[in-house]
Amino acid sequence: MISAEKLLEKQRTYFRSGATRSVSYRVHQLETLQKVLVEHEEELMNAVYEDFKKPELESYATELGILHDEISYAIKKLRKWVKPKRVPGTLINFPSSNYTVAEPYGAVLVIAPWNYPIQLALLPMVGAIAAGNTVVVKPSELSPNTSSVLKKIFEAWFKEEFVAVVEGGVEANQDLLSQDFDYIFFTGSTRVGKIVMEAASKHLAPVTLELGGKSPCIVDGTAKIKTAAKRIAWGKFLNAGQTCVAPDYLLVHSSVKVELLEALKNSIRDFYGVNPKLSPDYARIINKDHFHRLCSYLKEGDIFSGGRYDEEEYYIEPTILNNPKNEAGVMEDEIFGPVLPILEFESIADAIYRVNSGSKPLALYLFTENKTTERLVLKECSFGGGAVNDVVAHLGNRNLPFGGVGNSGMGNYHGKASFDTFSHTKSIMRKPTWLDVPFRYAPYKGKLKWIRKILK
Ligand code: NAD
């Protein structure tokens, strides 16, 4: 197996050869990537199923479908994105023409988590290729079937000096992180995000950190409860709750709490039947450690519905946890599983206070029909992105840059934002030589008053 050092050297040499720079090369590679996803669709979906029994429709919609959409869009828009952008000149530099141009960073490293193991490894890659970089991708060791299929497929279809998949765990990652990559794009936990940023600082490598956190979902007294319940249950129990932007906990106005709890219970039954264990549409927990961590939360409140589990299958029933204990794990850690704690509030100011007393979340959701409440919550709470009267869906719009803030991350991607993330914006001023205004040159005597007039 090639070492991380040698791999980076190969990629850097390839990048410096200029091979990745032409638009036609980038488009061709994106088309190849799309072909790979079509030809290996079944193999990829089976691998994700093997990893945690992810249902077929969810695998298509949230892994392959979203990738197809992103690739088609990048192919369609790339010629426009790479064009230099003219910007206005300023009087002090008259005459000049000014523009910015997107330049690839070089060799970039993408580190992915296990929960959307195809999408989160390849979606950043689309932006990196579109921007003209070479890419090393490190998928997660916790989704080993998907990781090994990705490795096999990419070895067969791409030159490793252009795109390479490196398998392995923490050690492989640390090895990669000790190299001098030109850009590091990390998706994963806040804890590991800090390790990545520290490693990147040694080489001053720029980073995007797509992290997690506790994303609140507020339901006020005016919300359309049945629709809210359906959408919340869908977004929470999709991927068995193992979604970075899943509603982590609910803040419900006391006047609608009973109605919402009942509606949530009904939605869960409608989606997965009376015994979700038998449903083909409900995934499993990724491994034993996460299974036990999640089971421990079941004791940290009153189970309103759900609560059954089976260690053999790493199955945990969609669970609604009423009156969770404060300072319990379930209200301290990111849940990242099918347990939904419910908290109650009396005034929207209390709900806002509760949200703002934690770290800035990756997502925030609000169900309301009241415009004043909507404006207030969106103004007062800082979070990565979110939705009003829906959950999770904002992530599926490539025109909305996706990323966190504070503890939930920095930087963003999707659509054009991906191209921008993986490009350095180079600024150029072009001066003609037919005129050389003498203000800037010494001797300065008598010139200050003119400079003052222009720079004000
Ligand atoms: P993780 O941070 O444990 O692992 C992510 C990657 O980092 C893996 O490839 C892993 O091999 C590597 N890694 C783990 N420990 C490391 C260490 N000590 N040093 C160097 N590398 C290390 O995250 P995870 O458990 O795979 O994923 C779950 C987390 O990811 C959740 O917090 C979730 O919210 C977050 N997430 C965020 C997004 C997003 O887009 N913002 C998407 C999915 C998941």
Side-chain angles (χ1 to χ4, degrees):
M1 200 182 74
I2 188 167
S3 70
E5 192 184 352
K6 282 265 167 323
L7 179 58
L8 175 58
E9 207 178 291
K10 265 182 112 171
Q11 290 211 343
R12 186 153 283 145
T13 306
Y14 190 63
F15 176 76
R16 287 187 179 149
S17 77
T20 66
R21 301 297 278 270
S22 75
V23 174
S24 56
Y25 179 89
R26 303 182 205 183
V27 167
H28 174 67
Q29 299 303 330
L30 291 171
E31 284 168 350
T32 306
L33 184 55
Q34 204 151 36
K35 210 184 290 173
V36 166
L37 296 182
V38 173
E39 291 214 3
H40 296 274
E41 180 173 310
E42 203 182 328
E43 203 179 345
L44 285 163
M45 302 232 302
N46 285 344
V48 185
Y49 186 80
E50 287 303 314
D51 280 329
F52 57 108
K53 304 264 179 299
K54 183 160 168 154
E56 192 184 2
L57 184 138
E58 286 185 14
S59 281
Y60 191 83
T62 66
E63 307 268 7
L64 298 172
I66 203 164
L67 275 162
H68 280 298
D69 182 62
E70 183 90 351
I71 297 169
S72 307
Y73 186 66
I75 291 173
K76 194 165 136 210
K77 296 285 180 185
L78 192 54
R79 277 174 219 286
K80 187 170 166 211
W81 294 344
V82 297
K83 275 203 186 122
K85 309 266 176 307
R86 281 187 76 96
V87 299
T90 52
L91 188 57
I92 192 91
N93 280 304
F94 179 82
S96 68
S97 62
N98 299 266
Y99 62 95
T100 62
V101 63
E103 170 188 83
Y105 280 103
V108 312
L109 172 62
V110 172
I111 301 172
W114 53 266
N115 63 325
Y116 288 84
I118 306 173
Q119 189 221 126
L120 296 174
L122 304 191
L123 208 71
M125 184 197 279
V126 176
I129 293 177
N133 301 280
T134 65
V135 194
V136 172
V137 179
K138 211 305 262 149
S140 171
E141 68 281 17
L142 300 193
S143 45
N145 294 294
T146 313
S147 298
S148 82
V149 168
L150 286 174
K151 165 102 184 143
K152 193 190 85 185
I153 294 174
F154 276 82
E155 254 172 17
W157 285 78
F158 291 93
K159 298 186 213 164
E160 72 176 353
E161 53 267 45
F162 175 52
V163 172
V165 173
V166 173
E167 278 191 283
V170 174
E171 242 172 68
N173 229 2
Q174 282 165 346
D175 205 11
L176 288 165
L177 285 169
S178 67
Q179 306 304 316
D180 184 13
F181 279 95
D182 297 302
Y183 199 96
I184 301 176
F185 188 104
F186 173 78
T187 307
S189 61
T190 302
R191 181 185 67 83
V192 180
K194 290 177 186 171
I195 296 173
V196 169
M197 194 160 172
E198 196 181 333
S201 74
K202 304 232 162 62
H203 305 289
L204 286 183
V207 290
T208 295
L209 301 177
E210 294 280 342
L211 311 177
K214 290 185 84 63
S215 297
C217 177
I218 303 172
V219 182
D220 87 347
T222 68
K224 298 271 191 254
I225 297 300
K226 276 205 179 113
T227 308
K230 265 199 280 184
R231 293 179 183 177
I232 293 166
W234 165 76
K236 177 69 185 184
F237 302 114
L238 173 81
N239 223 37
Q242 301 162 115
T243 302
C244 56
V245 287
D248 187 273
Y249 63 97
L250 290 194
L251 281 161
V252 190
H253 191 263
S254 55
S255 64
V256 290
K257 183 175 169 186
V258 174
E259 196 189 341
L260 182 71
L261 284 173
E262 279 305 320
L264 280 168
K265 191 158 97 178
N266 292 339
S267 295
I268 294 168
R269 198 199 45 228
D270 293 347
F271 296 168
Y272 308 112
V274 283
N275 185 2
K277 195 175 163 188
L278 304 176
S279 166
D281 300 329
Y282 186 64
R284 298 299 185 254
I285 305 307
I286 188 70
N287 65 16
K288 195 171 175 172
D289 288 349
H290 281 288
F291 173 81
H292 286 299
R293 179 182 62 79
L294 289 161
C295 284
S296 74
Y297 297 154
L298 300 174
K299 301 184 199 90
E300 296 182 342
D302 308 326
I303 291 178
F304 175 77
S305 78
R308 291 175 288 183
Y309 53 86
D310 178 355
E311 184 166 359
E312 292 265 293
E313 289 191 23
Y314 300 153
Y315 162 78
I316 298 180
E317 191 174 9
T319 300
I320 298 173
L321 199 69
N322 203 359
N323 308 317
K325 294 181 194 131
N326 252 332
E327 285 154 33
V330 76
M331 288 317 300
E332 294 282 325
D333 316 328
E334 178 184 5
I335 297 172
F336 219 57
V339 181
L340 182 61
I342 315 281
L343 303 176
E344 193 177 312
F345 68 87
E346 294 300 333
S347 83
I348 197 69
D350 294 344
I352 291 170
Y353 179 79
R354 165 95 213 180
V355 170
N356 288 345
S357 46
S359 304
K360 293 180 179 181
L362 181 59
L364 180 142
Y365 307 112
L366 170 67
F367 286 84
T368 184
E369 295 297 312
N370 183 325
K371 285 273 176 225
T372 311
T373 302
E374 180 179 329
R375 272 195 295 271
L376 189 69
V377 171
L378 297 185
K379 180 168 146 261
E380 296 295 325
C381 301
S382 177
F383 54 95
V388 177
N389 293 325
D390 208 343
V391 300
V392 180
H394 63 296
L395 191 140
N397 178 356
R398 55 175 141 69
N399 300 313
L400 290 171
F402 173 69
V405 56
N407 256 34
S408 56
M410 60 183 72
N412 51 44
Y413 74 132
H414 287 189
K416 169 72 160 48
S418 283
F419 176 83
D420 293 341
T421 283
F422 287 104
S423 302
H424 161 63
T425 304
K426 204 186 222 171
S427 297
I428 307 292
M429 175 183 285
R430 189 170 195 291
K431 291 273 241 180
T433 47
W434 56 266
L435 179 68
D436 197 19
V437 184
F439 281 124
R440 62 170 129 170
Y441 303 125
Y444 298 135
K445 195 159 182 278
K447 291 177 179 170
L448 186 57
K449 65 173 187 289
W450 294 107
I451 300 279
R452 279 190 201 282
K453 274 194 201 317
I454 297 169
L455 290 181
K456 61 178 184 197

